[in-house]
Each structure stands twice: as structure tokens, then as C-alpha cells.
């Protein structure tokens, strides 16, 4: 499931049926509802019936995800619609040359994308995994002499699609590390004279600690494997 890629592993599925105010006849609604029931059964998914929770033009399958706080949010929905093709007089030519009326499927994976990202930020409390973090790696030069090297490394990594920034502020190293922790950056790398000379990075992972000295190529390759 797409939503599980974002860390939403707990969810419930509802079959939402005909509401009191609706369009179309009983036969059309029964056909559409049966089509969704068949789809759910083929997938082997357990579901609950939300009586009257469908759209005015057709029944639907609703998926509600549960966030880290136990709250449930409706995101994905699949709706089977026989009514709108009828009202709009939609037709297609079948393989036998006859004109047929299509079935319309309404599908939303995330619902409102803005709302979904709001749910996502709250769910992670800003602690995004590496692949999703707006800033994946922050380079922390110890002195001004290391700044050009850091800028070159950042440029190279950005060229491969990684999101890398350089903290070039005139502050103590401990302050830079603290700022990166507050910003919840997954990876930081301290760069001093030794790192510049050897073309390496002293990498630190959030919640894990120091990972030791690694070449720039090793760090880049490891990050690319992790995010892909």
C-alpha cells in the first residue's frame, strides 16, 4: 500500500453505502455496491460497513489511517459511479462495434494533498526518515578553511539528488551540532583540516551517534542506497 511507505501501517477499511440523499435507482446502486464488495473480497481485506456514508452518486471504499497519536484520518477512497456516465451520456465503442456506457471510477490516494502532508508532519513530529527529510545531510565545517571543501561536497551530492546543506555560520562546533539536532536533521558531518586533507567526512546519525570517518563517495553511496 502506498501509504505504508510513509509509515502509516495501521488503518481500517470501510465500505460506505447509499446515503439518504442520492441520485440513481436501486438497481444501479446495488450493482455498484456489489462491484466494490467483490473487489474487497478479491483482495482479502477485512472491512466494516458504513451505512449511508457513500457519496450522493455512488458507494465507495474509504481507507482511514491511524497516526502516532492514535487518531484516525480518512485519506484514500475509491468510488464506483454508474450515475454520472448516465447523466453525461458517456459512451465508448466496444470491440464488437456497439456503443456501451462506461463505469466511472473515482480514486484518491492521499485525499487532499495539503491535508495529507499536515497529517504526515504531525505523525512524524518533524522526525522525518532520511528519504523524506527536507534536509538529509548538514555539513559542519570547523573553520573557514574547510568551507570551500564543504561547498564542493554539497554541490556534488546535490547533483545526485541528495538534499545537503552547509552550516557556514561563524559559531562554535557544538552550537552547530545543537542547531542540527533542534532542526532534526537525520545526518550531520563534521569537517576539519583532517577531513579536507583526506577527502572524508566525520558522520553522525541522529539517535545513533558517531558513525566514524567515511570517504565522501562512501557517504554519498550509502545515502543513495538508503533513500532509493
Amino acid at each position: 500500500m502506498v501509504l505504508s511507505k510513509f509509515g502509516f501501517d495501521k488503518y481500517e477499511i470501510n465500505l460506505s453505502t447509499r446515503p439518504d440523499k442520492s441520485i440513481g435507482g436501486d438497481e444501479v446502486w446495488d450493482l455498484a455496491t456489489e462491484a466494490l464488495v467483490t473487489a474487497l473480497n478479491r483482495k482479502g481485506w477485512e472491512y466494516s460497513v458504513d451505512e449511508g456514508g457513500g457519496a450522493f452518486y455512488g458507494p465507495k471504499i474509504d481507507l482511514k489511517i491511524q497516526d502516532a497519536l492514535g487518531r484516525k484520518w480518512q485519506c484514500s477512497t475509491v468510488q464506483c459511479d454508474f450515475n454520472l456516465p448516465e447523466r453525461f451520456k458517456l459512451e465508448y465503442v466496444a470491440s464488437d462495434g456497439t456503443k456501451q456506457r462506461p463505469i466511472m471510477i473515482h480514486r484518491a490516494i492521499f485525499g487532499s494533498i495539503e491535508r495529507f502532508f499536515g497529517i504526515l508532519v504531525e505523525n512524524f513530529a518533524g522526525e522525518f526518515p532520511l528519504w523524506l527529510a527536507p534536509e538529509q545531510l548538514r555539513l559542519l565545517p570547523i573553520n573557514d578553511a574547510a568551507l570551500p571543501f564543504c561547498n564542493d561536497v554539497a554541490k556534488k551530492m546535490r547533483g545526485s539528488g541528495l538534499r545537503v546543506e552547509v552550516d557556514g555560520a561563524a559559531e562554535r562546533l557544538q552550537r552547530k551540532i545543537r542547531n542540527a539536532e533542534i532542526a532534526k536533521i537525520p545526518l550531520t558531518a563534521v569537517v576539519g583540516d583532517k577531513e579536507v586533507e583526506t577527502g572524508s567526512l566525520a558522520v553522525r546519525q541522529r539517535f545513533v551517534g558517531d558513525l566514524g570517518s567515511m570517504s565522501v563517495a562512501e557517504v554519498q553511496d550509502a545515502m543513495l542506497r538508503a533513500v532509493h
Side-chain angles (χ1 to χ4, degrees), residues 2 14 16 33-35 59 62 67 96 137 155 168 176 180 185 190 194-196 198 218:
V2 173
N14 293 322
S16 301
T33 303
E34 182 59 32
D62 291 323
D67 65 15
D96 61 2
L137 169 65
K155 182 179 180 180
K176 292 183 178 182
I185 310 301
V190 175
K194 177 182 177 181
E195 285 72 32
V196 172
T198 60
E218 288 175 330

Side-chain angles (χ1 to χ4, degrees), residues 1-18:
M1 188 181 72
V2 173
L3 295 176
S4 66
K5 301 297 184 181
F6 292 90
F8 296 110
D9 297 318
K10 296 180 180 179
Y11 57 89
E12 67 178 37
I13 298 173
N14 293 322
L15 173 65
S16 301
T17 60
R18 186 176 188 175

Side-chain angles (χ1 to χ4, degrees), residues 144-198:
D144 289 344
L147 194 54
F149 173 77
C150 288
N151 288 331
D152 288 343
V153 170
K155 182 179 180 180
K156 177 182 178 182
M157 289 190 171
R158 288 172 190 149
S160 66
L162 296 172
R163 297 183 287 276
V164 182
E165 299 296 335
V166 178
D167 185 349
E171 295 180 337
R172 296 173 57 189
L173 177 61
Q174 290 304 316
R175 180 64 177 177
K176 292 183 178 182
I177 294 175
R178 176 60 178 164
N179 289 343
E181 286 289 323
I182 293 174
K184 303 179 179 180
I185 310 301
L187 294 172
T188 56
V190 175
V191 181
D193 294 338
K194 177 182 177 181
E195 285 72 32
V196 172
E197 182 179 346
T198 60

Side-chain angles (χ1 to χ4, degrees), residues 6-112:
F6 292 90
F8 296 110
D9 297 318
K10 296 180 180 179
Y11 57 89
E12 67 178 37
I13 298 173
N14 293 322
L15 173 65
S16 301
T17 60
R18 186 176 188 175
D20 292 334
K21 295 183 178 180
S22 60
I23 59 175
D26 293 341
E27 182 180 354
V28 170
W29 274 87
D30 291 343
L31 186 60
T33 303
E34 182 59 32
L36 295 182
V37 169
T38 299
L40 288 168
N41 291 336
R42 284 180 178 175
K43 294 294 293 185
W45 288 345
E46 295 183 2
Y47 63 91
S48 300
V49 177
D50 179 12
E51 296 289 351
F56 73 93
Y57 49 77
K60 58 181 180 173
I61 296 172
D62 291 323
L63 191 146
K64 295 180 180 179
I65 58 175
Q66 181 174 311
D67 65 15
L69 299 178
R71 299 173 299 185
K72 294 180 180 179
W73 305 87
Q74 180 181 323
C75 287
S76 303
T77 182
V78 178
Q79 302 169 5
C80 188
D81 183 356
F82 292 86
N83 280 302
L84 291 186
E86 180 69 30
R87 298 187 71 186
F88 292 127
K89 305 302 181 184
L90 301 181
E91 293 180 337
Y92 70 95
V93 178
S95 58
D96 61 2
T98 61
K99 292 184 178 181
Q100 303 289 334
R101 184 132 294 153
I103 299 169
M104 185 179 293
I105 303 295
H106 305 262
R107 187 181 70 157
I109 302 300
F110 301 108
S112 164

